[in-house]
Amino acid sequence: DTGVSQDPRHKITKRGQNVTFRCDPISEHNRLYWYRQTLGQGPEFLTYFQNEAQLEKSRLLSDRFSAERPKGSFSTLEIQRTEQGDSAMYLCASSYPGQGQDEQYFGPGTRLTVT
Amino acid sequence: GNSVTQMEGPVTLSEEAFLTINCTYTATGYPSLFWYVQYPGEGLQLLLKATKADDKGSNKGFEATYRKETTSFHLEKGSVQVSDSAVYFCALSRNSGGSNYKLTFGKGTLLTVNP
C-alpha cells in the first residue's frame, strides 16, 4: 500500500492556460473524490467517482473543469482557461467498499498557482 | 445543507497542556463525524471518527465523543506534545442514499505546541 499519489505536487501557470492533474488512488479503492482547498479554509467537495462512473459534481465545478476516471483506476482533473481564482490546493482522496467505506485517504495535493 | 463550525485558531499551548478544540455541526439525519490532521507539508490524515451518537473515537491520545443532543464532536487530548503541532479539521459525512460519502469540513484550527 503506497497511499494516494498526486502529480504534479506544484503547478504554476499563466491565466488562460489549461492544466491537468493526476491522482492515483490506493489500488483496491473503487471510490475517488476530488476536493479544493483555499488558504485558511477546509477542503470543499468537487466531484465523486465510483469505479469509472462520475456520480456527483459540485456546483463549484464550473464548465471549465472536467474530471475523468478511465477504467476506474487513476483520475485526471482538467481546468481549461485557468483564472486567478482557480489558485488553490487540489486534493484527491479514495476509499474502499465495505466496512469503513466512509473513511477517505488523502493524497498530498497539487498546489496550483495561476499568475 | 450540511455544515461544520470549529473554533477559530490559532491555538498555542505549552507542552503537556490540555487541549480542547470545539466542533459543532449541522446535518439532517445521522452523519458520521471525523477529525483529520494535517502536519506541515503533508496531506490530510484521518485521526479519529465516530459513526453514531455517544460513540467515542480515539487515537494517539486524542479523543472525541459524538454528542447528538448538542450536535458537537469536540477534540481533546490530556497532554499535548510538540509533535502534535498541526492543523486540525473537523468533518462530517452523510450518505444520502447512494455510495457518496463526501466530506464537509470545518475551516481548520492551527495548533502550535511550544516546548
Side-chain angles (χ1 to χ4, degrees), chain B residues 11-102:
Chain B
V11 174
T12 302
L13 297 173
S14 298
E15 206 164 24
E16 299 184 2
F18 183 84
L19 168 71
T20 300
I21 300 178
N22 290 337
C23 171
T24 57
Y25 68 89
T26 301
T28 55
Y30 301 93
S32 293
L33 302 174
F34 304 83
W35 279 99
Y36 279 82
V37 59
Q38 189 170 34
Y39 298 104
E42 298 184 15
L44 285 163
Q45 299 176 24
L46 177 61
L47 180 60
L48 54 84
K49 76 172 193 180
T51 57
K52 60 184 187 296
D54 300 325
D55 265 4
K56 178 184 283 187
S58 61
N59 186 24
K60 299 182 180 179
F62 291 89
E63 294 183 338
T65 301
Y66 190 143
R67 301 288 189 199
K68 188 157 181 65
E69 64 276 14
T70 54
T71 62
S72 65
F73 192 57
H74 305 321
L75 182 67
E76 296 182 337
K77 187 175 186 182
S79 176
V80 294
Q81 305 300 312
V82 172
S83 57
D84 294 326
S85 297
V87 181
Y88 292 81
F89 292 93
C90 186
L92 68 82
S93 75
R94 182 175 175 274
N95 182 356
S96 56
S99 59
N100 184 357
Y101 289 87
K102 63 183 176 183

Side-chain angles (χ1 to χ4, degrees), chain A residues 48 50 56 102-104, chain B residues 36 49 99-103:
Chain A
Y48 162 66
Q50 182 173 339
E56 184 171 346
D102 56 355
E103 297 177 12
Q104 294 180 28
Chain B
Y36 279 82
K49 76 172 193 180
S99 59
N100 184 357
Y101 289 87
K102 63 183 176 183
L103 291 162

